[in-house]
Amino acid sequence: MLILITYDVSTETSEGRRRLRRVAKTCLNYGQRVQKSVFECQVSTMEMARLKDQLLDIIDLDEDSLRIYRIIEPLDKNREEFGNSKATDFENTLIV
């Protein structure tokens, strides 16, 4: 399934800046960054549960926010992109 993760981590303290880096690094392990604090991740149900647990272990629920949206497929009907940053299509062959 394709999910969209957004977060806002308080960076007023060094601990907050550390949490921000850890959240981004964790999301990168599962998907691609599409905005500064927005990631698209192609995950299985088990991976999503693991990712959610990891992120909830990192963020401070009193200071930060985290949202996870499941994107309904087919993507070509439910996602529109504008501008020069195109997201990777996980369904097609990835050429590196």
Side-chain angles (χ1 to χ4, degrees):
M1 79 181 86
L2 184 64
I3 60 172
L4 187 73
I5 298 175
T6 68
Y7 55 85
D8 186 20
V9 176
S10 175
T11 57
E12 294 180 8
T13 64
S14 61
E15 179 59 31
R17 291 185 289 277
R18 184 172 163 265
R19 287 195 312 272
L20 178 65
R21 288 189 298 272
R22 290 181 62 208
V23 167
K25 186 175 180 181
T26 300
C27 290
L28 279 173
N29 289 336
Y30 290 88
Q32 65 176 331
R33 176 177 266 159
V34 292
Q35 295 285 320
K36 281 190 174 180
S37 298
V38 181
F39 285 80
E40 284 182 352
C41 303
Q42 183 74 39
V43 294
S44 66
T45 303
M46 185 178 295
E47 289 170 330
M48 181 174 165
R50 186 180 321 125
L51 173 58
K52 181 178 157 187
D53 287 345
Q54 289 174 346
L55 293 174
L56 289 175
D57 283 344
I58 296 170
I59 68 167
D60 182 332
L61 294 176
D62 293 328
E63 295 188 31
D64 309 327
S65 68
L66 172 69
R67 291 181 182 213
I68 301 173
Y69 302 90
R70 183 171 179 182
I71 298 176
I72 299 170
E73 300 186 57
L75 293 180
D76 58 338
K77 292 185 178 180
N78 294 310
R79 179 178 66 190
E80 293 182 272
E81 296 178 3
F82 305 96
N84 64 1
S85 178
K86 300 294 182 194
T88 301
D89 182 357
F90 294 107
E91 299 300 318
N92 286 330
T93 303
L94 181 62
I95 300 173
V96 181

